[in-house]
Amino acid sequence: MGNVTEDHTFAVDRLPRAGETRLARSHRTELGGKGLNQALILARADIATRLVAPIGRDAPGRAARAMVAAEIPGATLIETDAPTDRSIITVAEGGENSILSTAAAARSMTPAAAVAALADLSPGDTVLLQGNLTRPTTRSVLELARARRAATVANPSPIEWDWTPLWPLLDLVFVNAPELAHLSGARDTTGGCRALLDLGLRELVVTLGADGALAASREGTVSVSAIAVEPVDTAGAGDTFCGAYLAATLRGRSPEAALGIAASAAALTVGRPGTHGAFPDRTELSACFGDQVASS
Ligand code: ATP
C-alpha cells in the first residue's frame, strides 16, 4: 500500500545549487512512486501482489490504471480529489540524484479507506508500506495487519513523522544510511541498528549505496557488497532492493541470500537511465534469483 507518482526526470551535469538555474540535457516522464515501484518488483518476482494506492482523476492516474492492469492486475487504485502525486528527479553524471515529491493524493487516504481496502487481509499475507501515507493511516494498517496475523514491512522514506511508536508493530524495515541516522540518532550503522532493534523492531535492512547493504536482527547481522557497475541513474535502486529482498524472503531465502539477490537486482537499475525503464524485467529478476530461465 503506498503512492503512485508521475516522475519527471531531468538529466544534468551536476545537481543545481540553491539559487541556481541549470539546463537539463534531457527530460523523461514515467510512472513511479515507492508504492508502485516496490509492487512492480514484487509482481515481476512472481509474488502474488495487490497494490493499493490513491490516484487523481487525471492523465497520470489513467496511465497508472493502464500500466497496473498490465503488470499488477490485482491492484486497487482509489480515485481521490487531489491530483496524482508527482516527483521531480534530478540526476547528475555519475548517477547521484535529488528528488522532490508531492504527497497530497497519498495523504488523502484515510485510515478508514485504507482498512476497507484491506478487508480481506489474511494470516500469511504481508503488508508493505512506505512513508508517504499519514501516520494515523499507517498505524491503522499496521494494527489491522497485526490483528489478522499478517506480516508487516515498511520503508519509512520520505520520513515526515516520528516512527518510534510503530517499531513494535513492524517485522521488517528498509532504510538507507542517512535515514537510519535520522531515525535512530546514532552516528554509526551498528549503533543505529541496535537502537531500533532495542525499540522493538524485529529486522532491519540498511542499504549503503555503492557500499552494499546489511540485514540486522537480534540473531545477528549479515552484509553484502554492491555489485560493481558503472552508475548511470541510482533513482529507484532502493525500491528495487526492497522489492527484491522482500520477494526473496517470501520465497523462503535466508537474509544472506536475499541480500545477494537484491544487490544483483538493484545493480541492474543503477546501470540504466530512468526509474521503471531501468527496473529489471521478469527474466532478469528470475536470473537474480538463480531460477531456471525458460527458453522460448
Ligand atoms: P534511492 O532512494 O535512490 O532509490 P536508496 O538511498 O534508498 O536509493 P541506496 O542505498 O542508494 O538506496 O541503494 C540501494 C542499493 O542499490 C544498494 O544497497 C546497492 O545494492 C545498490 N546500489 C546503489 N548504488 C550503487 C552503485 N553505485 N553501484 C552498485 N550498486 C549500487
Side-chain angles (χ1 to χ4, degrees), residues 34 97 176 207-210 212-213 226-227 229 231 234-239 241 263 266-267 270:
K34 287 190 166 295
N97 69 58
N176 63 21
T207 61
L208 305 164
I227 308 289
V229 61
T234 58
D239 293 339
F241 196 99
V270 167

Side-chain angles (χ1 to χ4, degrees), residues 92-175:
E93 272 175 19
E96 189 190 13
N97 69 58
S98 69
I99 304 176
L100 195 61
S101 296
T102 61
R107 274 148 198 267
S108 71
M109 174 108 82
T110 62
V115 166
L118 296 176
D120 58 351
L121 195 65
S122 307
D125 287 343
T126 296
V127 177
L128 168 62
L129 296 160
Q130 309 81 31
N132 296 286
L133 305 179
T134 63
R135 180 159 59 175
T137 298
T138 303
R139 176 180 268 286
S140 297
V141 170
L142 293 177
E143 285 172 347
L144 174 75
R146 276 282 188 261
R148 299 278 177 88
R149 287 182 287 124
T152 52
V153 184
N155 172 202
S157 172
I159 301 163
E160 290 288 327
W161 36 264
D162 183 12
W163 282 74
T164 313
L166 302 189
W167 298 141
L169 293 172
L170 279 156
D171 295 313
L172 170 61
V173 162
F174 292 86
V175 286

